[in-house]
Amino acid sequence: MSATAADEEHDPFLHQSAPDTMSATAADEEHDHFLHQSAPMEYKTNNTGQAIVVMACTTCATAIGSFLGALVIVALPTMAIDLGLEDNVLLCRPIFLLGCLLQSLFSLACGLSHTGTQLIVYRAFSGAATSLCVPAAVSIIYDTYPAGQRRNLAFAMMGGGQPVGWAIGLTVGGVVADTIGWPWGFHIVVVCNSVVLVLAAWQLPSNAKQSPPISWRRLVFDIDWVGAVLASISLALLSYVLASVTGDALNIKSATSICLLIASFALILSFVYWVGRQERQYRPTLIPNSLWSNKAFSSICISVILLWGAFTAFEQIINLYFQEVQGLSALDTALRFLPTCLAGGITNVAMGLLVHRFPAKWIILATTGISCVSPLLMAVADPHRSYWVLAFPAVALSPIGVDGLFTVANLVVVSVFPGDTQALAGGVFNTMARIGSSLGLAVVALVADQVTAHTSLEDKRSPEALMEGYRAVFWLMVALTAVSLVVSHVGLKQIGIVGRSEVLR
């Protein structure tokens, strides 16, 4: 069934509905990603109060998602005891508002969980709610702020909300786990997220982008349901295998894991073929393959897989370093993560103020290079030495790389893609970050377990044996960060200064 003219005009999946409806000039502009910014913008706010609220809401929504993930990590030992978890388990405005609402509801459900199964299910749903907020936030910021320093600061705050939210989650998780109880971590999220929801409903612009009304016909024919099913099942199978391997490295040799891994890769290849076919026939496509033809976008996606994977793994392993090797409590561990929050906040503000002054490539290379120092320091650290000697600078420098990458990545997205593709590109980028997190945690767990298991020490659970595994993992993180540096250097050569009214090359 063909779409109506009105649907084709407004629907982001159908803007390429037929080749003969696009003039040569329009086609050139679509393929020259740097020309679209000259197009008129539909909505820009001149209200300072509204601009501040938009910045605060989009930042908090992304930060809370990372907060929840980090909260679970640091409080997991206490939660496992209380819930009986097994060791190996360890449309812009309305969509944004719906994501905030669902995130509040499922966070409340997490805090009220009585079994490990309940917690896992509710956390899965809260993660899905977060995925509604992030792509919508990209479009809201783009439509609210004109190109310039205020938009740069908004993207810096939103992008930095993820690593900073993660760090705050580690800190708060440790505090509540050792004091008033881990459920209060989720209750705190509910209160904060409810405030964000009210502010967003009150101040987010409702006319940033007008889209045709949702109908059953559009739901059936204007969404790539086959692509969505293929992508969801393949990632679900891959996540299951990674979780299984994280719990026990020997599971990778089991027939179940091998079969699921083969099935996952087969579905991924099927997805790539399917979306390519959909795009060639000008039909709705979940993630067009042409999205990856943009070298800058592909490079930042590869970089975020490597860098975000290394960052989340670093936070997890250094958390275990403090608790398992140095024998600190969750509260003492949480206090040692405070420099991450402070450094991340300072980096966010600095990125917003400076990103329009320097080429994007050099910003990413500089911030990633600084973060590379963190695992390097911990790789040579002596657990018996003072926290202030090596652990403190390692913790403080760890968020700078991902803060820089997220800020530049969001600005690259709005610079190289037309407006109707930016939310999709932003969603893909954040999906790559989540995949990087899962891969990073699984790989470091596998490496740490294997190195510890083959150590010459008899007691494999001793702090000395564990430290050998953690030390190997820190070196692995150095390597991942170094690869990210190379990818950014090669992939961002053609991108100059982002965050101005035009991209300078």
Side-chain angles (χ1 to χ4, degrees), residues 281-332:
Q281 297 181 1
Y282 300 97
R283 294 178 178 177
T285 307
L286 186 66
I287 303 177
N289 286 338
S290 60
L291 204 68
W292 305 109
S293 64
N294 187 288
K295 186 177 180 181
F297 180 72
S298 298
S299 69
I300 62 174
C301 285
I302 296 173
S303 294
V304 80
I305 291 175
L306 297 170
L307 202 56
W308 185 253
F311 171 75
T312 52
F314 177 83
E315 300 293 297
Q316 167 74 329
I317 296 301
I318 201 170
N319 168 56
L320 296 174
Y321 167 84
F322 289 139
Q323 296 195 48
E324 303 293 336
V325 176
Q326 294 190 326
L328 300 176
S329 66
L331 177 58
D332 289 334

Side-chain angles (χ1 to χ4, degrees), residues 314-315 318 321-322 326 335-343 346 370 373-375 377-378 381-382 385-400:
F314 177 83
E315 300 293 297
I318 201 170
Y321 167 84
F322 289 139
Q326 294 190 326
L335 296 177
R336 282 161 172 75
F337 280 107
L338 288 176
T340 304
C341 309
L342 181 60
I346 294 174
I370 292 173
V373 176
S374 293
L377 292 176
M378 294 308 301
D382 182 355
R385 300 187 71 179
S386 170
Y387 163 77
W388 302 102
V389 176
L390 292 178
F392 168 73
V395 170
L397 296 176
S398 62
I400 295 177

Side-chain angles (χ1 to χ4, degrees), residues 3-11:
T4 64
D7 285 344
E8 292 179 357
E9 179 181 357
H10 292 92
D11 193 292

Side-chain angles (χ1 to χ4, degrees), residues 92-351:
C92 301
R93 184 177 187 273
I95 290 177
F96 184 86
L97 295 176
L98 176 63
C100 290
L101 175 62
L102 294 177
Q103 196 164 247
S104 293
L105 294 176
F106 289 118
S107 297
L108 177 62
C110 287
L112 299 176
S113 298
H114 295 290
T115 66
T117 301
Q118 290 177 355
L119 178 65
I120 292 170
V121 171
Y122 295 143
R123 271 295 292 130
F125 281 117
S126 67
T130 303
S131 69
L132 293 176
C133 296
V134 176
V138 173
S139 287
I140 288 172
I141 290 178
Y142 176 78
D143 290 316
T144 301
Y145 300 95
Q149 189 167 333
R150 294 175 75 183
R151 181 191 284 177
N152 299 344
L153 184 60
F155 274 125
M157 298 299 290
M158 191 200 84
Q162 301 208 36
V164 172
W166 184 273
I168 295 175
L170 288 172
T171 304
V172 174
V175 172
V176 299
D178 268 9
T179 53
I180 57 179
W182 62 264
W184 278 98
F186 293 103
H187 300 335
I188 292 172
V189 168
V190 173
V191 174
C192 295
N193 208 66
S194 298
V195 173
V196 172
L197 177 61
V198 172
L199 287 175
W202 173 44
Q203 280 291 309
L204 285 190
S206 58
N207 60 335
K209 281 193 176 180
Q210 299 294 337
S211 51
I214 297 175
S215 63
W216 285 108
R217 178 186 172 284
R218 286 176 57 79
L219 288 175
V220 172
F221 294 102
D222 292 356
I223 296 177
D224 182 9
W225 291 109
V226 174
V229 170
L230 289 174
S232 299
I233 296 178
S234 62
L235 292 178
L237 294 178
L238 181 61
S239 298
Y240 177 84
V241 174
L242 292 176
S244 175
V245 173
T246 302
D248 185 356
L250 295 178
N251 286 338
I252 192 63
K253 299 179 180 180
S254 68
T256 301
S257 295
I258 294 174
C259 291
L260 291 179
L261 203 57
I262 293 174
S264 175
F265 287 134
L267 288 173
I268 291 175
L269 293 176
S270 300
F271 172 78
V272 173
Y273 170 78
W274 170 261
V275 294
R277 175 179 176 275
Q278 290 289 98
E279 189 175 15
R280 288 192 300 271
Q281 297 181 1
Y282 300 97
R283 294 178 178 177
T285 307
L286 186 66
I287 303 177
N289 286 338
S290 60
L291 204 68
W292 305 109
S293 64
N294 187 288
K295 186 177 180 181
F297 180 72
S298 298
S299 69
I300 62 174
C301 285
I302 296 173
S303 294
V304 80
I305 291 175
L306 297 170
L307 202 56
W308 185 253
F311 171 75
T312 52
F314 177 83
E315 300 293 297
Q316 167 74 329
I317 296 301
I318 201 170
N319 168 56
L320 296 174
Y321 167 84
F322 289 139
Q323 296 195 48
E324 303 293 336
V325 176
Q326 294 190 326
L328 300 176
S329 66
L331 177 58
D332 289 334
T333 298
L335 296 177
R336 282 161 172 75
F337 280 107
L338 288 176
T340 304
C341 309
L342 181 60
I346 294 174
T347 304
N348 292 344
V349 176
M351 286 295 102

